[in-house]
Amino acid sequence: MSTHETIAADLQFDGPPELMNDLDYLQLALKLAAQGVALASPNPLVGSVVVRDGGIVGRGFHRYLDLKHAEVWALEEAGERARGSTVYVNLEPCCHRGEGKRTSPCVQALINAGVARVVASMLDPNPRVNGRGFSELQAAGIEVSVGGFEKDARRLNEKYIKFVTSGLPFIHLKLASSLDGRIATRTGDSRWVTGEEAREASQRLRHEYDAILIGIRTALLDDPLLTDRTGRQRRRALARFVLDAGLNLPVNSQLVRSAGDAPLIVFSSSGADSDRRTALHARGVETVDMPCAGGRLSPAEVFAEIARRDLTSVVVEGGSEVAGSLIAERLIDKLTIFYAPKIIGGRAAVPSIGGQGIERMSEALQLDEVDITCHGADWEITGYPVFADDEPEQG
Ligand SMILES: NC(=O)c1ccc[n+]([C@@H]2O[C@H](COP(=O)([O-])OP(=O)(O)OC[C@H]3O[C@@H](n4cnc5c(N)ncnc54)[C@H](OP(=O)(O)O)[C@@H]3O)[C@@H](O)[C@H]2O)c1
């Protein structure tokens, strides 16, 4: 059985079919969509359920390599039973041919199959769709209902939404901190701040991202590998990026030694030593010169370059200076700090967020929609930064 079939078989609804309403089916579509994590990017996560006479007759979710979209998988499973059915999907069906004409429009497939109704959680904000999918369905006489589980649907596709609406990747800053806000001791030692369970959760978080980024001092002090070690399937290897203006990354570091197995790209300045550049290239490392702002590589340019590679999301794993500069430039979309119930102490210990900081408490960065989860003895706190410009205007 393919992974697709295994997942579909696992997702049996436990309860009599007649008790299912629209929301139950939409929830199932969302669950199916989530099976595409690390497999669908740069496309959205989409799941679909076809229901006829109170029973599920088709299910599908999208994986980039399959070429077929979720609705098409589900309609194929339903076959003739799709005629007169209701199709549930977490995102507006597409009305355009996919990149390089790889895939055909789902709207046409729905019309051809003779479905009676489409229920979707949200409109696709991709400028190529943005309501056109719904309009074409309605023009063909198909009833369209939109809105159930919209918040969950938006959360599920937050990376895709940021990418298609801004042309930039979704940026998630993740750190592991002591209770007193330190991410390493005064000597730079950070192995390990949190326990095994939090570190496993951190690996699961990595799995959801297309790319990972760190600063050169983290590379020098921690010698990390920065790979996805969840063992879960992914379409593209996690792309690893280092901010290193002077090309100081050692050729014997774990990052460079593994460059043949997982992509490693070093952002440098044009003035960096050419012998170092040659030595890195010889080991399969790509270097990209970036403009500098105030003596530092420009993070905005860095993320624009990452997006040009069709990478829709980046998890930033430190260190302190990089975290401070991204927050100062308001580039963070999501923030996770794993807190260990430990005190490191000391003025010279590495603070979680470096840089200049702020003068007044009123300028502190507020997080919204905060989730707190326990992992063994540690806590994960995740939220969405509310930068001043995001706040609703006072009437
Ligand atoms: N507990 C955790 O979660 C965690 C995670 C990561 C790191 N750490 C710890 O944090 C420490 C390293 O943090 P750090 O603050 O010293 O260094 P860092 O943030 O890892 O690296 C800073 C360096 O990155 C380069 N860089 C290039 N562009 C930059 C930009 N726009 N903004 C900021 N930096 C830029 C600069 O070097 P160039 O000018 O030479 O390019 C800068 O000196 C280590 O002790 C490590 O163990 C802890």
Side-chain angles (χ1 to χ4, degrees):
M1 244 196 314
S2 70
T3 313
H4 184 83
E5 288 163 334
T6 315
I7 289 159
D10 283 351
L11 271 165
Q12 296 297 342
F13 186 82
D14 48 348
E18 65 273 16
L19 292 187
M20 280 187 165
N21 57 26
D22 283 347
L23 290 184
D24 293 322
Y25 292 122
L26 267 185
Q27 199 169 31
L28 187 52
L30 276 163
K31 278 189 190 169
L32 280 165
Q35 308 299 321
V37 166
L39 302 173
S41 173
N43 289 347
L45 297 168
V46 187
S48 180
V49 181
V50 182
V51 176
R52 169 86 183 271
D53 301 329
I56 294 172
V57 292
R59 279 165 293 202
F61 73 93
H62 179 57
R63 295 189 302 188
Y64 184 88
L65 287 179
D66 286 336
L67 301 183
K68 289 178 199 164
H69 286 178
E71 298 90 322
V72 176
W73 277 113
L75 290 171
E76 280 186 6
E77 189 189 338
E80 261 312 299
R81 292 169 299 174
R83 202 155 292 282
S85 66
T86 297
V87 173
Y88 295 85
V89 62
N90 57 301
L91 188 72
E92 177 182 10
C94 67
C95 51
H96 60 288
R97 297 191 79 82
E99 288 303 321
K101 310 240 181 303
R102 293 176 356 112
T103 52
S104 51
C106 293
V107 162
Q108 199 52 52
L110 291 160
I111 295 170
N112 293 348
V115 310
R117 184 172 172 237
V118 170
V119 182
S121 298
M122 63 175 283
L123 179 131
D124 184 346
N126 183 341
R128 298 174 72 192
V129 189
N130 204 21
R132 270 185 224 111
F134 291 143
S135 303
E136 288 184 20
L137 290 171
Q138 282 164 330
I142 296 173
E143 186 191 337
V144 173
S145 316
V146 189
F149 289 119
E150 183 171 352
K151 199 172 168 202
D152 300 87
R154 291 193 155 274
R155 180 72 67 86
L156 183 73
N157 267 314
E158 60 193 5
K159 302 171 183 72
Y160 166 79
I161 293 170
K162 165 90 186 284
F163 187 68
V164 293
T165 55
S166 70
L168 289 172
F170 184 87
I171 302 165
H172 190 159
L173 174 64
K174 178 244 126 182
L175 295 164
S177 169
S178 62
L179 214 48
D180 57 331
R182 307 295 208 271
I183 59 170
T185 68
R186 65 185 154 86
T187 63
D189 180 31
S190 67
R191 294 269 166 82
W192 297 103
V193 177
T194 49
E196 208 168 303
E197 288 167 52
R199 298 205 306 275
E200 278 170 14
S202 170
Q203 275 285 330
R204 291 196 293 276
L205 190 152
R206 238 182 225 188
H207 177 70
E208 293 176 15
Y209 283 80
D210 291 346
I212 186 164
L213 179 139
I214 59 165
I216 180 60
R217 276 182 51 79
T218 296
L220 294 174
L221 284 158
D222 297 358
D223 191 21
L225 192 52
L226 303 184
T227 50
D228 175 351
R229 296 190 286 281
T230 55
R232 296 178 184 179
Q233 212 188 346
R234 57 184 302 138
R235 180 174 81 84
R236 304 181 279 190
L238 187 66
R240 305 171 302 162
F241 292 90
V242 181
L243 298 180
D244 178 15
L247 287 180
N248 290 309
L249 185 65
V251 290
N252 62 352
S253 60
Q254 287 211 83
L255 282 168
V256 175
R257 282 191 281 122
S258 57
D261 305 321
L264 176 63
I265 301 99
V266 179
F267 287 118
S268 53
S269 81
S270 53
D273 185 281
S274 61
D275 289 344
R276 287 190 184 154
R277 195 181 302 272
T278 309
L280 289 171
H281 289 175
R283 286 160 179 83
V285 180
E286 187 184 347
T287 63
V288 181
D289 284 346
M290 278 286 137
C292 286
R296 282 274 160 88
L297 300 177
S298 157
E301 297 285 344
V302 159
F303 291 117
E305 172 58 27
I306 291 175
R308 277 194 283 277
R309 293 162 184 253
D310 244 4
L311 300 167
T312 65
S313 59
V314 187
V315 57
V316 178
E317 294 204 4
S320 178
E321 280 308 311
V322 167
S325 104
L326 299 196
I327 284 183
E329 298 212 21
R330 302 166 167 226
L331 288 168
I332 302 296
D333 297 299
K334 193 170 183 177
L335 176 72
T336 292
I337 301 187
F338 288 93
Y339 277 103
K342 292 177 185 169
I343 303 295
I344 293 177
R347 230 169 276 120
V350 185
S352 51
I353 312 290
Q356 286 294 309
I358 52 168
E359 286 183 9
R360 306 175 68 84
M361 205 53 214
S362 57
E363 297 163 27
L365 179 60
Q366 185 74 42
L367 298 188
D368 197 10
E369 298 183 53
V370 174
D371 274 333
I372 304 179
T373 316
C374 229
H375 302 283
D378 307 317
W379 303 277
E380 172 189 345
I381 302 190
T382 291
Y384 295 82
V386 185
F387 294 108
D389 296 347
D390 302 339
E391 283 170 11
E393 280 177 30
Q394 300 298 311

